[in-house]
Amino acid sequence: YALPRRRCACTTTTVASPPDGGIVNGISFGSVLNTAAVALTAFGNVPIERAADLIKILYGQSVSAGFVDRANTRLAAKLTEAGFEQAMLAALMAEPVLAADESPVQVVTPATDPDTGELIPGSPHVLAIRTPDERLAWLAGLTSRSYDTVIAALRTFAGHLIVDGYGAYQRLRTGVDTVLAGIQQCVQHVLRRCRGVAKLGPGTLQSHWTAQVTDALTTAHTAVQDAKADHQSALDPELLAELRDRYDKAVDSGIVHNRHRDWHTGNHPGYTLATWLAAYADQVWHFTTHLNVDWTSNAAERGVKPAKRHQAVSGYWQTQHTLNRWCLVNSYLTTTRNHGLTVLDAITRALTGRPWLPGAA
């Protein structure tokens, strides 16, 4: 910005205040360059030094790597000051259905316990919690994948949760203060596991029972889609009972034929899968009795992909703090874009003290 200045008759010189974006070495960088810095690093997964080079190429303005980093810091500070994270979690907890997934990430400097100074055991992860329509998206940096750490943000959720089989989420159904309405196991994960086991043999044994499981579930999904299209609130009981019976018999076959089959790591994968399908059958079939619940956690899986892409390009996060900052900024930009705001508008609003907030008019 070229800031106008005027000298009064009293000899006092007054200079215009720059838009909120900060002054670096006497230069005021406005919302466009701040947006470029944040978008390249948070959305484009470009390393900070490279982002500074690209800004020079695109805009003809030399900026430092420090400016690029501080642009993310300023945006995160504005979001924190406005209570974006609290508003997002409140909005998510009020939803009828959510999907959750987590993925490991690399943090160079491990987190330490603030009381003891000891390293926190476990590996850092990014947790994604999203609505199935991806309207609301929240990412959080986790110091580990411990059960309590993963489910901490979901303890007050009273809706239906779609997950990928990780055991931590089961605590939301078995705890003393549990309010969760139900869990849906991602059926796409089930189908992928069935395809993996089907290749193992011997002969056509594994492909036979896994194909029956797959067919029962996909037929049920088609029936659910047809029922919703016809504005029905439930599936035909006889059809549902028949499909569930086919599933149960196929799973029993998988257990019987693989119970004593040798495998180099212990139980045969066919036996492991079949016993899991039997133990969590009600959660696998949850979508057939609650038609408002999607049968996959694809929304949450897509939610953790930005973290995987960022790590693939940039390699790591330096500290848990920078991971948390990236998650906060990414949550804000992803959600605002899903609500029709451009990245430039979303960042400009935040830097001027009026960020978009879930539930706000």
Side-chain angles (χ1 to χ4, degrees):
Y1 285 89
L3 301 177
R5 61 178 64 201
R6 293 292 183 267
R7 185 177 182 181
C8 179
C10 70
T11 71
T12 299
T13 300
T14 302
V15 182
S17 298
D20 197 343
I23 298 178
V24 181
N25 296 328
I27 301 173
S28 172
F29 293 124
S31 57
V32 172
L33 290 187
N34 275 271
T35 296
V38 173
L40 285 170
T41 52
F43 262 11
N45 304 311
V46 178
I48 289 176
E49 294 83 359
R50 182 61 176 162
D53 292 338
L54 289 175
I55 290 174
K56 174 63 181 298
I57 294 171
L58 294 171
Y59 295 100
Q61 175 64 58
S62 296
V63 299
S64 67
F67 162 74
V68 175
D69 186 67
R70 287 191 294 271
N72 285 275
T73 298
R74 283 192 293 272
L75 178 56
K78 290 292 186 181
L79 295 176
T80 300
E81 180 183 327
F84 172 77
E85 183 174 7
Q86 293 83 351
M88 173 62 78
L89 286 175
L92 287 170
M93 294 306 104
E95 288 288 322
V97 183
L98 291 177
D101 196 11
E102 68 291 327
S103 178
V105 294
Q106 182 178 356
V107 176
V108 175
T109 305
T112 58
D113 189 304
D115 296 324
T116 65
E118 298 293 327
L119 294 179
I120 296 177
S123 61
H125 277 66
V126 165
L127 171 69
I129 301 176
R130 305 181 94 182
T131 54
D133 60 4
E134 304 183 20
R135 179 172 34 86
L136 299 176
W138 184 65
L139 297 177
L142 307 179
T143 55
S144 71
R145 202 188 182 208
S146 68
Y147 280 17
D148 289 338
T149 302
V150 169
I151 66 174
L154 291 163
R155 290 191 181 278
T156 61
F157 179 54
H160 302 266
L161 185 63
I162 311 171
V163 298
D164 63 357
Y166 184 44
Y169 301 107
Q170 296 302 322
R171 293 197 175 188
L172 296 170
R173 289 290 290 164
T174 58
V176 177
D177 301 321
T178 296
V179 293
L180 199 66
I183 291 178
Q184 169 66 51
Q185 295 292 339
C186 176
V187 180
Q188 287 295 341
H189 279 77
V190 171
L191 300 185
R192 287 198 289 268
R193 292 179 67 183
C194 284
R195 287 194 293 269
V197 168
K199 299 175 183 178
L200 300 179
T204 61
L205 170 64
Q206 308 300 345
S207 61
H208 179 68
W209 75 267
T210 55
Q212 290 179 318
V213 169
T214 298
D215 182 67
L217 289 170
T218 53
T219 302
H221 178 248
T222 300
V224 168
Q225 297 301 103
D226 291 342
K228 290 195 289 188
D230 293 338
H231 305 289
Q232 299 175 8
S233 59
L235 292 184
D236 174 51
E238 293 185 1
L239 173 62
L240 180 56
E242 177 201 345
L243 293 173
R244 180 62 186 270
D245 183 62
R246 285 163 52 186
Y247 170 93
D248 290 338
K249 288 180 178 177
V251 169
D252 287 343
S253 175
I255 293 174
V256 169
H257 289 93
N258 289 297
R259 178 180 286 115
H260 301 298
R261 195 174 302 281
D262 292 333
W263 194 253
H264 62 281
T265 58
N267 289 327
H268 189 279
Y271 179 74
T272 300
L273 174 60
T275 53
W276 186 91
L277 291 174
Y280 294 99
D282 288 343
Q283 293 182 8
V284 172
W285 286 80
H286 190 72
F287 74 100
T288 62
T289 53
H290 298 81
L291 304 194
N292 64 319
V293 179
D294 199 354
W295 74 327
T296 77
S297 63
N298 287 351
E301 279 198 70
R302 285 190 288 270
V304 297
K305 281 184 178 179
K308 295 179 179 179
R309 287 195 297 266
H310 185 90
Q311 182 163 280
V313 175
S314 297
Y316 55 84
W317 284 268
Q318 190 66 42
T319 65
Q320 192 72 32
H321 172 74
T322 56
L323 173 62
N324 294 340
R325 186 186 67 183
W326 182 89
C327 288
L328 176 62
V329 170
N330 203 279
S331 300
Y332 177 69
L333 296 182
T334 299
T335 302
T336 52
R337 188 174 60 171
N338 292 342
H339 283 77
L341 272 69
T342 65
V343 174
L344 176 60
D345 288 339
I347 292 177
T348 302
R349 288 184 56 165
L351 292 178
T352 54
R354 50 186 186 89
W356 179 92
L357 296 177

